[in-house]
Amino acid sequence: MDLEFTAEERAFREEVRGFIRDSLPPALAEKTRRMTHLGREDFVTWHRILNQRGWGAPGWPKEYGGPGWTPIQRYIFDEECAAADAPPLLPFGIAMVGPVIYTFGTDEQKKRYLPRILNMDDWWCQGYSEPGSGSDLASLRTKAESDGDHYVVNGHKIWTTQAHYANMMFCLVRTDPNAKPQEGISFLLIDMNTPGITVRPIISIDEGHGVNEVFLDNVRVPKANLIGKEGKGWTYAKFLLGNERTTIAEVSTSKQRLRRLKEIARAEQAFGAPLIEEASFRAKLAAVEIELMALEYTNLRVLAAETAGKGVGPEASMLKIRGSEIQQTITELACEALGYYANPYEHRPDGSNQPPVGPDYAQGRMEAFLYNRATTIYGGSNEIQRNIIAKMVLGL
């Protein structure tokens, strides 16, 4: 594997860097830097700025409206966005359901949905997890019964990220209760404005409203919204999850947060000297940086395989495990470095006239620490990922 970037790739990096410098609204970058809760319009604004340049879906081929970038170009793009504190691109449309639609969908589905995903005219959410069917997703009980040219869907989804914003949901449903668990599942696209859908908020430990419960009560979904073949939803779900677990690693974001952690450690004092010079803390910094470097090289190996035409396999689970653990470690060390300045929780409604507690760089660190407790759970818990590696990679 050649880890040196070519002259063309270095030129591409400069192009991306220059565009972000000229196009990213400073106020939006500041909100991202402070790691505060971003609102719907924050995500839409940045996505549409990128889409005007043709970069709204970095992983899509040109034939479907993407830039047709190589895996290495996508990696460079992610690095530059993270380094500039650009808001993340929400994955549900462009990285999850979009590739499923253009790979397995009908021509009519592609024509209808792909342009709307590119411009973020549709806001998507993922209807996978259910009470009792999270990591064991194949045990899901939400059912879709045939009724003429519609399915009638009844069930309960949970931990549905951004469902309170979404107008569309890609959903796994059971269409054949008598088949083996994985063989009786289908993949439906559901309009969230359909009668019978109720969204109930779940407020997480960071006081954010990011996840929800979704109740489906006799929801009528046109059969034209079925992706691929009935009963093949598990195949499409695995395809989607492979893409999700490579993005959850968030190598570029962790590199930026590590740089910021070092800045905090240089500013904070310990025993009359900068904290970064204190031996035990310096050792912790070195340990997480080594882990992040190893993760980055593993990620580059996956990209090299993808460049060579190989699909994303079960090794994506390794990226998810280590990536989520590193994210947690970095947020923990940031709070440790800040000491008592990390204790005040700075999630306040816009318009508060109360001054922040502690230095500017303390804002958002406790919020990030609390939110990142979930990284080892969502996207398939790390315990399940280890089982996948044991079975699919090690053959145990």
Side-chain angles (χ1 to χ4, degrees), residues 352-364:
S352 171
N353 60 4
Q354 295 298 313
V357 177
D360 175 73
Y361 52 74
Q363 296 183 44

Side-chain angles (χ1 to χ4, degrees), residues 369-384:
F369 167 78
L370 294 172
Y371 178 81
N372 276 273
R373 298 304 90 201
T375 58
T376 50
I377 301 172
Y378 62 61
S381 71
N382 284 13
E383 292 81 2
I384 294 298

Side-chain angles (χ1 to χ4, degrees), residues 1-6 9 13 70-79 246 249-252 255 291-312 315-316 318-319:
M1 180 179 63
D2 184 3
L3 296 179
E4 293 295 326
F5 292 115
T6 66
E9 289 163 347
R13 183 184 293 278
T70 66
I72 297 300
Q73 286 177 309
R74 298 201 307 266
Y75 178 82
I76 291 171
F77 174 78
D78 288 343
E79 276 207 319
T246 57
E250 293 195 7
V251 173
S252 298
K255 288 174 68 175
E291 292 286 353
L292 182 54
M293 289 175 63
L295 177 67
E296 182 176 20
Y297 283 124
T298 303
N299 196 23
L300 289 170
R301 286 167 53 199
V302 172
L303 293 177
E306 189 178 351
T307 302
K310 300 178 181 178
V312 178
E315 64 273 10
M318 294 187 289
L319 298 177

Side-chain angles (χ1 to χ4, degrees), residues 314-365:
E315 64 273 10
S317 293
M318 294 187 289
L319 298 177
K320 197 275 174 177
I321 292 170
R322 297 305 297 133
S324 60
E325 292 173 345
I326 288 169
Q327 290 170 58
Q328 289 182 344
T329 300
I330 291 173
T331 59
E332 289 169 6
L333 288 175
C335 288
E336 180 179 338
L338 288 166
Y340 52 78
Y341 285 134
N343 289 331
Y345 185 63
E346 295 294 338
H347 175 52
R348 298 167 298 160
D350 290 341
S352 171
N353 60 4
Q354 295 298 313
V357 177
D360 175 73
Y361 52 74
Q363 296 183 44
R365 305 304 146 183

Side-chain angles (χ1 to χ4, degrees), residues 23 35 96 125 150 161 216 226 249 282:
S23 305
M35 304 172 76
M96 294 184 182
C125 63
H150 283 74
T161 303
L216 301 107
L226 173 72
R282 190 179 183 88

Side-chain angles (χ1 to χ4, degrees), residues 106-249:
T106 64
D107 289 341
E108 179 59 32
Q109 288 168 344
K110 296 173 189 177
K111 181 179 178 180
R112 178 178 180 181
Y113 294 112
L114 296 183
R116 295 182 62 82
I117 292 173
L118 283 171
N119 198 48
M120 213 167 183
D121 295 324
D122 288 330
W123 186 295
W124 288 83
C125 63
Q126 179 182 33
Y128 275 25
S129 294
E130 300 181 5
S133 298
S135 295
D136 182 19
L137 187 57
S139 67
L140 65 88
R141 295 186 296 275
T142 294
K143 62 181 179 179
E145 299 175 303
S146 178
D147 182 19
D149 58 358
H150 283 74
Y151 291 107
V152 178
V153 181
N154 285 277
H156 178 192
K157 297 294 181 178
I158 199 168
W159 312 121
T160 313
T161 303
Q162 307 294 352
H164 55 302
Y165 292 149
N167 67 304
M168 292 296 300
M169 175 170 64
F170 55 95
C171 189
L172 292 182
V173 297
R174 189 164 299 285
T175 47
D176 187 351
N178 300 315
K180 293 180 180 179
Q182 288 89 343
E183 296 176 2
I185 294 172
S186 297
F187 194 109
L188 286 184
L189 310 180
I190 300 178
D191 187 332
M192 292 291 284
N193 295 313
T194 308
I197 296 179
T198 302
V199 178
R200 181 181 298 168
I202 299 173
I203 305 303
S204 50
I205 193 174
D206 64 335
E207 296 185 10
H209 176 197
V211 293
N212 307 268
E213 293 181 274
V214 178
F215 299 89
L216 301 107
D217 182 15
N218 291 323
V219 176
R220 296 184 64 83
V221 180
K223 288 186 176 178
N225 288 21
L226 173 72
I227 291 291
K229 296 181 179 179
E230 189 174 287
K232 296 296 183 182
W234 191 252
T235 298
Y236 314 139
K238 288 194 297 182
F239 171 86
L240 183 152
L241 288 171
N243 292 332
E244 180 185 12
R245 285 163 189 162
T246 57
T247 58
I248 283 178

